[in-house]
Amino acid sequence: MAKQTVAEQCVDILVRAGVRRLYGVVGDSLNPVVDAVRRNAAIDWIQVRHEETAAFAAGAEAQLTGTLAACAGSCGPGNLHLINGLYDAHRSMAPVLALASHIPSSEIGTGYFQETHPDQLFRECSHYCELISSPQQMPRVLQTAVQHAIGRGGVSVVTLPGDIAARPAPERAEEHALVTSRPTVRPGDAEIDELARMVDAADRITLFCGSGTAGAHDEVMEFATRVKAPVGHALRGKEWIQYQNPFDVGMSGLLGYGAAYEATHECDLLMLLGTDFPYGAFLPDDVTTVQVDVRPEHLGRRSKLDLAVWGDVRETLRCLTPKVRPKTDGRFLERMLKKHAEALEGVVRAYTRKVEKHVPIHPEYVASVLDEEAADDAVFTVDTGMCNVWAARYLTPNGRRRVIGSFTHGSMANALPQAIGAQFLDRRRQVVSMSGDGGFTMLMGDFLTLVQYDLPVKVVLFNNSSLGMVELEMLVSGLPAYGTGNHNPDFAALAEAAGVHAVRVEKPKHLRPALRDVLRHKGPALVDVVTDPNALSIPPKIRAEMVTGFALSASKMVLDGGVGRMVQMARSNLRNVPRP
C-alpha cells in the first residue's frame, strides 16, 4: 500500500475538520493538493475564475454555517489574489483556512520565479500564518491552523511548497481530536452584579445591538421587555434583532434610519450588545455606557466605557435578566417609538411620490419589490456602496433570511462571489446577489462559475452606470464627480450569450414581472435593471467631514428614499407599545 503524501494528509485533516469544498484556481505548486482532492470523495474542488472569488465564497460559507470553510491559491500571484477576500473573512470573524502553495522549498530566498513570502504577507489578515518547510511539521501545523480559525473566529493561512506537498507524510504522525465549534463565554458574577446595579439605577435604558446578538433574539427581547428599553441596531445586527421586535427604533450610521441615534443619545444607560460599531461620531460621549462582547479586544476600543463585560450576549442576558427589577415607567420607550414612526413616515413620502412612473427606475423601488418577491428564507449577498443602503432600508428580516456583505472590510465586488459560496451550501435555497454595476464588472468573470456549475444564483443588477457612493462622497466634499462613470453594455445580452436566462428592465411597470420570472427560474439568472444615478438628495447644510469615513448620524444625513415595509412595522410597534 502506497504511503500517504503530505497533500493527502492535508486534505484528510480538512475533511475531519468539516470542510466539504476547497475553492480555488489550479496551478503547478498546488497540483498535489488538487489531485488529493480529486481522489477524496468527501471533498470537492470548486474551480473559480479568480482566487479573490475563492476567498469570498469560502468566507460566505463560513458565515452562514459557523463552521470551517477553505480556499487555496497557487504560488506567488495565485495566492496573492486571495488576500482581499481573506481580509473580509477575517474582519467578519468567519472561520476560513487558506492554503497558500509556494515555490520549491530549495528555491525560497533566491528571487525565484513567482517568489513571494505568504507567511509574511497574510499575517495582518489572519490569526495564524505559518510555513511548512518539512513533512515532519504535518499534521501539527495544519491542526493548529484549524483550531485557530475555529477557536478565535477568523482566518488561518498555511503556506505549503509544492515539493513538500508531494513528499511522503511522516509515519506515525500524531493526529488529535479537532476543535470544530466554539464554547459559550459567561461573565463573572462580579460583572453581572455590577451590571444589574447599573440597570436598576437607570431610568432610561437603550440597547444597541450588533452581530454578536446572533442566537440571542429571545434573550434581548425578554430583557428589553423587563426594562422598557428601545432597541436599535448596527447594520450587521439588523438580521438578528429587527424581526419580531416591538422595541425597534431602527439603525444608526450613515445608512441608518429612524430614531436609533436619538435613543442612544437621550438615554442615561447605553448598553452595546455584541457590536464593534466603528463610527464613534454616532455614539454619545456623555452617557453611561456598558459594552458586552465575546471578543475582549473589542471592549472599549470605540467609546469610553463605564463597564466592560466579557461574555456572550445570550449567556450574559440569561444571567442578568432575573437579577434586575422590572421597570414600570415606559414613557422613554414610547417617546422613542413615536419618534421612530414619525421619522419613517417622513422619508416614506419621498419614496412613494410617482415612484412607479419614474424613469430611470428608482433603485429604492427595485429593492422594495425584491423584498416582497424574494423567498422567506432567501440569502441576500450585497455589494458595498449604494446596494448597502437599499439592503439596509428595504430588506425585511424575519429570522430565516440571511444578509451577507462586506460590512466591515467594505470591499467592492463581494456580492457575486459570496453568492457562489452560499449557493453551494444549498442549491434548493434561494440566493440573491444584489450587485452594483461597478462591483459586478470587477469580478464578472466568475459569472461563468454560475454557468459551469449550474448554480441557481439570481443576480439583481442595480445598473446606474456609476460608482454611486463614491460620487456621493465627492459631491458632499464639494468636489465635482470625476472618474465615477461607467460605460456599460447590455448585461442581459452578455448573460444570454453565456447561456444564462436574463431580462433587461428599463420601465417600472416591467420590474415586478421580471423579478418574478428570474426568481422562479430553476437555473442561474440575471435581471439588469437600469436605475436612476441621481437617486440621492444632498441636504444643503451637510459638512464634508460628516460623510468622510461614514461619520455622520443618519438623523443629519437624508437619503431620498423610503424604508419599505419598516414603516408598517413602526406603526404596529407604536400601537402595541408595552404599557404598565
Side-chain angles (χ1 to χ4, degrees), residues 240-252:
W240 303 115
I241 213 68
Q242 190 186 38
Y243 70 96
Q244 296 177 9
N245 179 1
F247 313 99
D248 178 47
V249 291
M251 189 174 84
S252 193

Side-chain angles (χ1 to χ4, degrees), residues 4-14 36 135 138-139 142 169-170 173-175:
Q4 190 179 47
T5 65
V6 169
E8 290 169 334
Q9 187 180 55
C10 171
V11 171
D12 283 349
I13 291 171
L14 292 180
M138 283 287 285
L142 186 58
E174 294 183 3
E175 293 187 6

Side-chain angles (χ1 to χ4, degrees), residues 317-337:
L317 293 182
R318 283 178 175 176
C319 296
L320 175 66
T321 301
K323 288 180 174 287
V324 301
R325 293 192 300 269
K327 296 190 183 298
T328 58
D329 186 351
R331 288 176 296 177
F332 175 63
L333 171 60
E334 185 168 0
R335 182 161 61 87
M336 290 300 109
L337 291 177

Side-chain angles (χ1 to χ4, degrees), residues 20-27 30-31 33-35 37-38 40 43-48 51 54 70-74 99 424 452-453:
R20 294 296 173 261
R21 280 159 293 275
L22 187 58
Y23 299 90
V25 178
V26 297
L30 191 58
N31 289 344
V33 173
V34 175
D35 190 61
V37 171
R38 178 183 66 84
N40 191 317
I43 189 171
D44 293 321
W45 175 259
I46 305 300
Q47 177 187 347
V48 296
E51 288 92 349
C71 57
S74 59
L99 283 176
F424 266 113
Q452 182 161 334
Y453 290 96

